[in-house]
Amino acid sequence: MRHISAAAAVTAALCAAALACSTQAAPSRAPAGPPDPPARFSARVAPVPQDKLGASYRAGCPVPPERLRLIRMSHWGFDGRAHSGEMVVHQDAVRPLLQVFRRAFEARFPIRRMRVMAEYRDDAEAMADDNTSAFNCRPVTGDPRRLSRHAWGDAVDINPVENPYVDVHGVVHPANGRGHLRRSPVRPGQIHPDDAVSTAFREAGWQWGGRWANPDYQHFSANGA
């Protein structure tokens, strides 16, 4: 009987200890804070430092550096997050472009990246990297006899891979955008008639190269060139 009583006592003690452990208060959690505020479009405009021009500017370009502006602005990425990008434009293009990119942001239109052309060796490298940009004192892609409207800073190329350009010789720029010549079904980052981006540019008075005989789906300009 003593052995039975002793065993029962040990069992009772173990059960009591286990119960005490199981009923200890769980670590308190900090109260959840308010949700992050929705991302908002923001932009800052400043004169262009020399290091933000790099090889995109050279002597004899039609617009002097003092008439260019650097825009730092927010945009949505393909990762579904808001990012900050940079773009060099003509001073007269600042207002319409802020209007357009605000509309694009509100529509959550994704932009792969937005970097100044000084970060690239040339336009071909920037297009292959799917970079959205404006000012670049260079010839027309595929036609070196003519100066591109980008040299004036009032033309923009958006998502070049998703919106390729077919030059007068039938060459696709960039080459890695060839798969996007098929415009249906609509894919993220593509620009189409009457979507948020093309509509915003049209309302700003700019024209879209996607309507040309040799389509330039990435290109918008103030004078249609």
Side-chain angles (χ1 to χ4, degrees):
M1 293 293 293
R2 283 180 188 173
H3 294 296
I4 295 174
S5 299
V10 171
T11 300
L14 291 173
C15 290
L19 181 62
C21 290
S22 65
T23 56
Q24 286 181 356
S28 59
R29 294 182 179 180
D36 292 337
R40 295 182 179 179
F41 179 79
S42 63
R44 290 180 297 161
V45 181
V48 186
Q50 179 57 43
D51 65 322
K52 294 294 183 179
L53 286 176
S56 71
Y57 181 85
R58 63 182 184 276
C61 289
V63 176
E66 58 268 23
R67 297 189 65 187
L68 298 172
R69 295 293 180 268
L70 175 66
I71 304 178
R72 294 185 175 94
M73 58 182 158
S74 48
H75 67 86
W76 289 103
F78 281 74
D79 58 0
R81 300 174 60 187
H83 298 266
S84 180
E86 293 185 326
M87 179 181 293
V88 176
V89 308
H90 191 282
Q91 61 185 7
D92 295 342
V94 169
R95 180 171 293 184
L97 287 180
L98 287 180
Q99 173 186 326
V100 166
F101 283 100
R102 179 185 295 275
R103 292 276 297 278
F105 188 86
E106 291 169 352
R108 298 181 74 98
F109 177 83
I111 292 174
R112 183 79 61 187
R113 55 185 54 85
M114 186 187 293
R115 298 173 180 166
V116 296
M117 290 302 300
E119 298 187 25
Y120 295 93
R121 291 191 302 268
D122 53 31
D123 189 53
E125 182 183 51
M127 285 195 293
D129 198 36
D130 210 11
N131 185 54
T132 294
S133 64
F135 174 78
N136 189 7
C137 190
R138 61 169 176 82
V140 171
T141 301
D143 187 359
R145 298 167 301 175
R146 295 189 296 129
L147 198 60
S148 168
R149 195 65 210 177
H150 290 275
W152 280 265
D154 58 359
V156 177
D157 288 342
I158 299 176
N159 290 346
V161 172
E162 287 75 22
N163 302 289
Y165 164 50
V166 182
D167 70 22
V168 294
H169 306 291
V171 179
V172 178
H173 305 271
N176 55 332
R178 179 177 294 276
H180 285 275
L181 290 178
R182 181 169 54 85
R183 308 304 286 175
S184 179
V186 177
R187 284 169 282 177
Q190 288 184 342
I191 299 168
H192 290 267
D194 302 319
D195 68 5
V197 173
S198 60
T199 298
F201 271 108
R202 183 173 65 250
E203 292 177 354
W206 286 39
Q207 298 182 46
W208 182 36
R211 300 184 183 277
W212 295 349
N214 292 95
D216 192 351
Y217 296 112
Q218 63 196 259
H219 183 83
F220 292 89
S221 64
N223 74 343

